Amino acid sequence: MSIIHINDIALQVIRSARRKSIAIKIQDGKVSLHLPKLMPLWLAKQFVMRKQQWIDDKLQQYQQRPPARQFIQGELQPFLGEYYPLEILYEVNRQRIHIKLEQQKLIIQAPVNVSSLQIRQALTRWYKRQAEVLLTARVQLLAEQTGLSPKQVKIKSYKSRWGSCNIRGEIQLNWQLVQATQAINDYVIIHELCHLQQHNHSKAFWELVERFDPNYREHRRWLKNQGHQLVI
């Protein structure tokens, strides 16, 4: 791997013998250029220059992101598309963190020496429990409505995807979706259910998605541009 600079943009160059085409990836404000092993660098630089505006736009979007959550008193946390302030109650005799959604607040009963990391971990566990119940139930409902039934539903932890569907007819969903609106959740579930019939992203696949979610383009765009808000 090496670093090249084009018009004040630093790009990490990553070559792979398996890659057949050029790709630009942006993650955490860093730009990487993925190339076939034998592709001339001058050709890749021309590709980057043609994509200059796209890169600038993506980097600007990253800079405009809200700061990472701190998991402190009063901070807003999303759940099913609504935002609830954290109310942390410190209790001298408490040994474990307990979380409940009550009176439009996420109330956290915690030991007096609790850290923000421990609150983050406890809130993650709480989200996962909610996702197991709510997302699984939603899959069952949408499966009945669409006539597309998976053999199994699993709630998983993913870093860079919201769901998946394998050839065995099993659907996996990212637990962090439970923070988003019902419409966003439904889009992801419908997307994966449609893969039970179309194991690709062909025109026929997207037509099937649109049949069950006419606003799928809007939901897909939201996840692409705003999905980072759901990442803990």
Side-chain angles (χ1 to χ4, degrees), residues 111-141:
V112 292
N113 61 345
V114 70
S115 66
S116 59
L117 175 59
Q118 289 171 315
I119 291 176
R120 175 180 179 268
Q121 292 170 336
L123 192 59
T124 296
R125 291 192 295 271
W126 183 84
Y127 276 131
K128 287 181 177 180
R129 290 194 299 271
Q130 305 307 311
E132 288 282 352
V133 175
L134 298 173
L135 295 183
T136 301
R138 198 65 184 172
V139 171
Q140 293 173 349
L141 178 62

Side-chain angles (χ1 to χ4, degrees), residues 1-3 12-15:
M1 292 185 294
S2 61
I3 302 292
Q12 184 180 44
V13 179
I14 302 173
R15 293 183 179 272

Side-chain angles (χ1 to χ4, degrees), residues 75-216:
E75 186 179 51
L76 298 177
Q77 304 294 328
F79 178 61
L80 293 179
E82 301 290 338
Y83 283 83
Y84 301 92
L86 288 183
E87 182 171 330
I88 305 173
L89 304 177
Y90 300 95
E91 301 177 4
V92 175
N93 296 321
R94 178 168 289 278
Q95 300 298 315
R96 294 183 179 180
I97 298 173
H98 176 72
I99 300 176
K100 58 184 176 181
L101 181 59
E102 192 173 273
Q103 299 176 342
Q104 295 300 302
K105 298 177 182 178
L106 270 171
I107 299 174
I108 298 183
Q109 297 168 282
V112 292
N113 61 345
V114 70
S115 66
S116 59
L117 175 59
Q118 289 171 315
I119 291 176
R120 175 180 179 268
Q121 292 170 336
L123 192 59
T124 296
R125 291 192 295 271
W126 183 84
Y127 276 131
K128 287 181 177 180
R129 290 194 299 271
Q130 305 307 311
E132 288 282 352
V133 175
L134 298 173
L135 295 183
T136 301
R138 198 65 184 172
V139 171
Q140 293 173 349
L141 178 62
L142 290 171
E144 292 175 3
Q145 293 178 358
T146 62
L148 302 168
S149 298
K151 292 184 178 175
Q152 190 175 25
V153 180
K154 294 182 180 179
I155 306 302
K156 306 273 286 186
S157 294
Y158 287 122
K159 290 184 177 180
S160 59
R161 63 170 61 181
W162 299 111
S164 65
C165 175
N166 61 37
I167 58 174
R168 295 185 298 275
E170 301 167 339
I171 285 178
Q172 294 83 35
L173 298 171
N174 189 329
W175 63 264
Q176 296 188 101
L177 280 169
V178 80
Q179 301 170 83
T181 64
Q182 192 70 74
I184 295 298
N185 288 337
D186 285 356
Y187 160 67
V188 174
I189 293 170
I190 287 170
H191 183 116
E192 302 310 333
L193 288 175
C194 288
H195 275 313
L196 295 171
Q197 185 170 316
Q198 297 284 341
H199 298 285
N200 49 52
H201 286 102
S202 63
K203 181 180 178 181
F205 168 79
W206 289 112
E207 288 175 348
L208 188 61
V209 172
E210 187 171 24
R211 184 192 308 173
F212 302 119
D213 181 7
N215 298 317
Y216 84 88

